[in-house]
PDB file of all heavy atoms in Angstrom:
ATOM      1  N   THR H 142      14.863  12.154  29.883  1.00 96.00           N
ATOM      2  CA  THR H 142      15.275  10.851  29.452  1.00 96.00           C
ATOM      3  C   THR H 142      14.191  10.008  28.813  1.00 96.00           C
ATOM      4  O   THR H 142      13.076   9.993  29.319  1.00 96.00           O
ATOM      5  CB  THR H 142      15.826  10.091  30.697  1.00 96.00           C
ATOM      6  OG1 THR H 142      16.648  10.981  31.457  1.00 96.00           O
ATOM      7  CG2 THR H 142      16.571   8.823  30.359  1.00 96.00           C
ATOM      8  N   CYS H 143      14.564   9.375  27.711  1.00 97.00           N
ATOM      9  CA  CYS H 143      13.587   8.555  26.997  1.00 97.00           C
ATOM     10  C   CYS H 143      13.092   7.383  27.848  1.00 97.00           C
ATOM     11  O   CYS H 143      13.899   6.604  28.329  1.00 97.00           O
ATOM     12  CB  CYS H 143      14.178   8.018  25.673  1.00 97.00           C
ATOM     13  SG  CYS H 143      13.055   6.913  24.794  1.00 97.00           S
ATOM     14  N   PRO H 144      11.713   7.248  28.006  1.00 96.00           N
ATOM     15  CA  PRO H 144      11.243   6.143  28.871  1.00 96.00           C
ATOM     16  C   PRO H 144      11.385   4.769  28.109  1.00 96.00           C
ATOM     17  O   PRO H 144      11.312   3.734  28.830  1.00 96.00           O
ATOM     18  CB  PRO H 144       9.723   6.526  29.036  1.00 96.00           C
ATOM     19  CG  PRO H 144       9.459   7.377  27.880  1.00 96.00           C
ATOM     20  CD  PRO H 144      10.676   8.114  27.548  1.00 96.00           C
ATOM     21  N   VAL H 145      11.710   4.745  26.881  1.00 95.00           N
ATOM     22  CA  VAL H 145      11.859   3.502  26.117  1.00 95.00           C
ATOM     23  C   VAL H 145      13.252   3.059  26.145  1.00 95.00           C
ATOM     24  O   VAL H 145      13.562   1.867  26.505  1.00 95.00           O
ATOM     25  CB  VAL H 145      11.338   3.684  24.687  1.00 95.00           C
ATOM     26  CG1 VAL H 145      11.495   2.358  23.973  1.00 95.00           C
ATOM     27  CG2 VAL H 145       9.806   3.999  24.688  1.00 95.00           C
ATOM     28  N   CYS H 146      14.195   3.919  25.698  1.00 97.00           N
ATOM     29  CA  CYS H 146      15.622   3.473  25.621  1.00 97.00           C
ATOM     30  C   CYS H 146      16.571   4.124  26.510  1.00 97.00           C
ATOM     31  O   CYS H 146      17.778   3.809  26.552  1.00 97.00           O
ATOM     32  CB  CYS H 146      16.049   3.560  24.100  1.00 97.00           C
ATOM     33  SG  CYS H 146      16.344   5.248  23.631  1.00 97.00           S
ATOM     34  N   GLY H 147      16.122   5.152  27.255  1.00 96.00           N
ATOM     35  CA  GLY H 147      17.068   5.814  28.269  1.00 96.00           C
ATOM     36  C   GLY H 147      17.913   6.892  27.658  1.00 96.00           C
ATOM     37  O   GLY H 147      18.668   7.529  28.391  1.00 96.00           O
ATOM     38  N   ALA H 148      17.886   7.149  26.324  1.00 97.00           N
ATOM     39  CA  ALA H 148      18.702   8.167  25.683  1.00 97.00           C
ATOM     40  C   ALA H 148      18.077   9.529  26.041  1.00 97.00           C
ATOM     41  O   ALA H 148      16.985   9.690  26.590  1.00 97.00           O
ATOM     42  CB  ALA H 148      18.769   7.988  24.191  1.00 97.00           C
ATOM     43  N   ASP H 149      18.885  10.661  25.628  1.00 96.00           N
ATOM     44  CA  ASP H 149      18.412  12.012  25.946  1.00 96.00           C
ATOM     45  C   ASP H 149      17.241  12.360  25.113  1.00 96.00           C
ATOM     46  O   ASP H 149      17.200  11.988  23.955  1.00 96.00           O
ATOM     47  CB  ASP H 149      19.538  13.001  25.660  1.00 96.00           C
ATOM     48  CG  ASP H 149      20.682  12.941  26.740  1.00 96.00           C
ATOM     49  OD1 ASP H 149      20.422  12.290  27.783  1.00 96.00           O
ATOM     50  OD2 ASP H 149      21.755  13.473  26.442  1.00 96.00           O
ATOM     51  N   LEU H 150      16.299  13.128  25.703  1.00 97.00           N
ATOM     52  CA  LEU H 150      15.131  13.594  24.967  1.00 97.00           C
ATOM     53  C   LEU H 150      15.535  15.042  24.416  1.00 97.00           C
ATOM     54  O   LEU H 150      16.193  15.785  25.060  1.00 97.00           O
ATOM     55  CB  LEU H 150      13.929  13.647  25.809  1.00 97.00           C
ATOM     56  CG  LEU H 150      13.269  12.314  26.230  1.00 97.00           C
ATOM     57  CD1 LEU H 150      12.095  12.514  27.235  1.00 97.00           C
ATOM     58  CD2 LEU H 150      12.800  11.548  24.984  1.00 97.00           C
ATOM     59  N   ILE H 151      14.984  15.299  23.204  1.00 95.00           N
ATOM     60  CA  ILE H 151      15.327  16.552  22.576  1.00 95.00           C
ATOM     61  C   ILE H 151      14.004  17.464  22.476  1.00 95.00           C
ATOM     62  O   ILE H 151      12.906  16.930  22.202  1.00 95.00           O
ATOM     63  CB  ILE H 151      15.817  16.280  21.119  1.00 95.00           C
ATOM     64  CG1 ILE H 151      17.115  15.556  21.158  1.00 95.00           C
ATOM     65  CG2 ILE H 151      15.957  17.535  20.300  1.00 95.00           C
ATOM     66  CD1 ILE H 151      17.530  14.894  19.892  1.00 95.00           C
ATOM     67  N   HIS H 152      14.144  18.670  22.686  1.00 94.00           N
ATOM     68  CA  HIS H 152      13.051  19.677  22.443  1.00 94.00           C
ATOM     69  C   HIS H 152      13.379  20.302  21.060  1.00 94.00           C
ATOM     70  O   HIS H 152      14.392  21.020  20.941  1.00 94.00           O
ATOM     71  CB  HIS H 152      13.100  20.734  23.530  1.00 94.00           C
ATOM     72  CG  HIS H 152      11.878  21.661  23.517  1.00 94.00           C
ATOM     73  ND1 HIS H 152      11.777  22.762  24.224  1.00 94.00           N
ATOM     74  CD2 HIS H 152      10.772  21.622  22.853  1.00 94.00           C
ATOM     75  CE1 HIS H 152      10.633  23.336  24.041  1.00 94.00           C
ATOM     76  NE2 HIS H 152      10.047  22.658  23.171  1.00 94.00           N
ATOM     77  N   ARG H 153      12.643  19.990  20.054  1.00 93.00           N
ATOM     78  CA  ARG H 153      12.894  20.372  18.690  1.00 93.00           C
ATOM     79  C   ARG H 153      13.052  21.919  18.586  1.00 93.00           C
ATOM     80  O   ARG H 153      12.236  22.648  19.144  1.00 93.00           O
ATOM     81  CB  ARG H 153      11.874  19.937  17.697  1.00 93.00           C
ATOM     82  CG  ARG H 153      12.248  18.578  17.054  1.00 93.00           C
ATOM     83  CD  ARG H 153      11.105  17.998  16.266  1.00 93.00           C
ATOM     84  NE  ARG H 153      10.508  18.821  15.280  1.00 93.00           N
ATOM     85  CZ  ARG H 153       9.606  18.422  14.434  1.00 93.00           C
ATOM     86  NH1 ARG H 153       9.176  17.111  14.446  1.00 93.00           N
ATOM     87  NH2 ARG H 153       9.091  19.272  13.548  1.00 93.00           N
ATOM     88  N   ASP H 154      14.061  22.390  17.812  1.00 91.00           N
ATOM     89  CA  ASP H 154      14.275  23.936  17.642  1.00 91.00           C
ATOM     90  C   ASP H 154      12.997  24.526  17.103  1.00 91.00           C
ATOM     91  O   ASP H 154      12.752  25.688  17.492  1.00 91.00           O
ATOM     92  CB  ASP H 154      15.383  24.145  16.587  1.00 91.00           C
ATOM     93  CG  ASP H 154      16.819  23.858  17.230  1.00 91.00           C
ATOM     94  OD1 ASP H 154      16.827  23.751  18.483  1.00 91.00           O
ATOM     95  OD2 ASP H 154      17.742  23.697  16.437  1.00 91.00           O
ATOM     96  N   ASP H 155      12.222  23.820  16.252  1.00 95.00           N
ATOM     97  CA  ASP H 155      11.047  24.507  15.699  1.00 95.00           C
ATOM     98  C   ASP H 155       9.818  24.358  16.512  1.00 95.00           C
ATOM     99  O   ASP H 155       8.697  24.691  16.103  1.00 95.00           O
ATOM    100  CB  ASP H 155      10.805  24.032  14.205  1.00 95.00           C
ATOM    101  CG  ASP H 155      10.560  22.601  14.119  1.00 95.00           C
ATOM    102  OD1 ASP H 155      10.761  21.844  15.084  1.00 95.00           O
ATOM    103  OD2 ASP H 155      10.232  22.137  12.992  1.00 95.00           O
ATOM    104  N   ASP H 156       9.942  23.851  17.742  1.00 96.00           N
ATOM    105  CA  ASP H 156       8.780  23.718  18.693  1.00 96.00           C
ATOM    106  C   ASP H 156       8.778  24.860  19.688  1.00 96.00           C
ATOM    107  O   ASP H 156       8.354  24.723  20.789  1.00 96.00           O
ATOM    108  CB  ASP H 156       8.838  22.430  19.429  1.00 96.00           C
ATOM    109  CG  ASP H 156       8.190  21.271  18.511  1.00 96.00           C
ATOM    110  OD1 ASP H 156       7.671  21.572  17.466  1.00 96.00           O
ATOM    111  OD2 ASP H 156       8.397  20.048  18.934  1.00 96.00           O
ATOM    112  N   LYS H 157       9.204  26.047  19.239  1.00 94.00           N
ATOM    113  CA  LYS H 157       9.039  27.271  20.069  1.00 94.00           C
ATOM    114  C   LYS H 157       7.780  27.916  19.620  1.00 94.00           C
ATOM    115  O   LYS H 157       7.448  27.917  18.389  1.00 94.00           O
ATOM    116  CB  LYS H 157      10.173  28.231  19.798  1.00 94.00           C
ATOM    117  CG  LYS H 157      11.577  27.658  20.197  1.00 94.00           C
ATOM    118  CD  LYS H 157      12.623  28.768  19.981  1.00 94.00           C
ATOM    119  CE  LYS H 157      14.034  28.230  20.234  1.00 94.00           C
ATOM    120  NZ  LYS H 157      14.608  27.631  18.959  1.00 94.00           N
ATOM    121  N   PRO H 158       7.038  28.611  20.534  1.00 95.00           N
ATOM    122  CA  PRO H 158       5.722  29.145  20.183  1.00 95.00           C
ATOM    123  C   PRO H 158       5.713  29.972  18.916  1.00 95.00           C
ATOM    124  O   PRO H 158       4.825  29.805  18.098  1.00 95.00           O
ATOM    125  CB  PRO H 158       5.299  29.944  21.396  1.00 95.00           C
ATOM    126  CG  PRO H 158       6.083  29.312  22.575  1.00 95.00           C
ATOM    127  CD  PRO H 158       7.363  28.818  21.954  1.00 95.00           C
ATOM    128  N   GLU H 159       6.722  30.868  18.718  1.00 95.00           N
ATOM    129  CA  GLU H 159       6.611  31.741  17.559  1.00 95.00           C
ATOM    130  C   GLU H 159       6.829  30.959  16.273  1.00 95.00           C
ATOM    131  O   GLU H 159       6.152  31.242  15.236  1.00 95.00           O
ATOM    132  CB  GLU H 159       7.615  32.969  17.656  1.00 95.00           C
ATOM    133  CG  GLU H 159       9.123  32.609  17.776  1.00 95.00           C
ATOM    134  CD  GLU H 159       9.504  32.239  19.215  1.00 95.00           C
ATOM    135  OE1 GLU H 159       8.673  31.968  20.072  1.00 95.00           O
ATOM    136  OE2 GLU H 159      10.782  32.165  19.468  1.00 95.00           O
ATOM    137  N   THR H 160       7.678  29.925  16.291  1.00 96.00           N
ATOM    138  CA  THR H 160       7.924  29.163  15.100  1.00 96.00           C
ATOM    139  C   THR H 160       6.657  28.265  14.843  1.00 96.00           C
ATOM    140  O   THR H 160       6.267  28.050  13.695  1.00 96.00           O
ATOM    141  CB  THR H 160       9.175  28.310  15.245  1.00 96.00           C
ATOM    142  OG1 THR H 160      10.222  29.046  15.847  1.00 96.00           O
ATOM    143  CG2 THR H 160       9.632  27.767  13.896  1.00 96.00           C
ATOM    144  N   ILE H 161       6.101  27.800  15.875  1.00 97.00           N
ATOM    145  CA  ILE H 161       4.853  26.926  15.746  1.00 97.00           C
ATOM    146  C   ILE H 161       3.759  27.751  15.091  1.00 97.00           C
ATOM    147  O   ILE H 161       3.052  27.289  14.102  1.00 97.00           O
ATOM    148  CB  ILE H 161       4.339  26.377  17.052  1.00 97.00           C
ATOM    149  CG1 ILE H 161       5.406  25.446  17.697  1.00 97.00           C
ATOM    150  CG2 ILE H 161       3.052  25.681  16.919  1.00 97.00           C
ATOM    151  CD1 ILE H 161       5.166  25.101  19.139  1.00 97.00           C
ATOM    152  N   SER H 162       3.597  28.944  15.534  1.00 97.00           N
ATOM    153  CA  SER H 162       2.508  29.826  14.891  1.00 97.00           C
ATOM    154  C   SER H 162       2.801  29.969  13.443  1.00 97.00           C
ATOM    155  O   SER H 162       1.808  29.910  12.586  1.00 97.00           O
ATOM    156  CB  SER H 162       2.515  31.234  15.507  1.00 97.00           C
ATOM    157  OG  SER H 162       2.301  31.175  16.849  1.00 97.00           O
ATOM    158  N   ASN H 163       4.057  30.174  13.025  1.00 97.00           N
ATOM    159  CA  ASN H 163       4.368  30.235  11.595  1.00 97.00           C
ATOM    160  C   ASN H 163       4.108  28.972  10.864  1.00 97.00           C
ATOM    161  O   ASN H 163       3.552  29.013   9.759  1.00 97.00           O
ATOM    162  CB  ASN H 163       5.902  30.663  11.516  1.00 97.00           C
ATOM    163  CG  ASN H 163       6.065  31.558  10.269  1.00 97.00           C
ATOM    164  OD1 ASN H 163       5.160  32.144   9.774  1.00 97.00           O
ATOM    165  ND2 ASN H 163       7.319  31.497   9.759  1.00 97.00           N
ATOM    166  N   ARG H 164       4.442  27.864  11.480  1.00 98.00           N
ATOM    167  CA  ARG H 164       4.218  26.569  10.803  1.00 98.00           C
ATOM    168  C   ARG H 164       2.717  26.355  10.598  1.00 98.00           C
ATOM    169  O   ARG H 164       2.294  25.791   9.584  1.00 98.00           O
ATOM    170  CB  ARG H 164       4.807  25.370  11.665  1.00 98.00           C
ATOM    171  CG  ARG H 164       6.356  25.353  11.637  1.00 98.00           C
ATOM    172  CD  ARG H 164       6.903  24.550  12.768  1.00 98.00           C
ATOM    173  NE  ARG H 164       6.575  23.194  12.792  1.00 98.00           N
ATOM    174  CZ  ARG H 164       6.574  22.400  13.872  1.00 98.00           C
ATOM    175  NH1 ARG H 164       6.901  22.916  15.054  1.00 98.00           N
ATOM    176  NH2 ARG H 164       6.212  21.158  13.727  1.00 98.00           N
TER     177      ARG H 164
END
Side-chain angles (χ1 to χ4, degrees):
T142 312
C143 176
V145 176
C146 72
D149 287 346
L150 290 175
I151 295 163
H152 189 191
R153 265 171 53 175
D154 284 344
D155 59 352
D156 279 348
K157 298 185 186 88
E159 60 279 13
T160 317
I161 295 168
S162 300
N163 211 23
R164 287 162 62 203

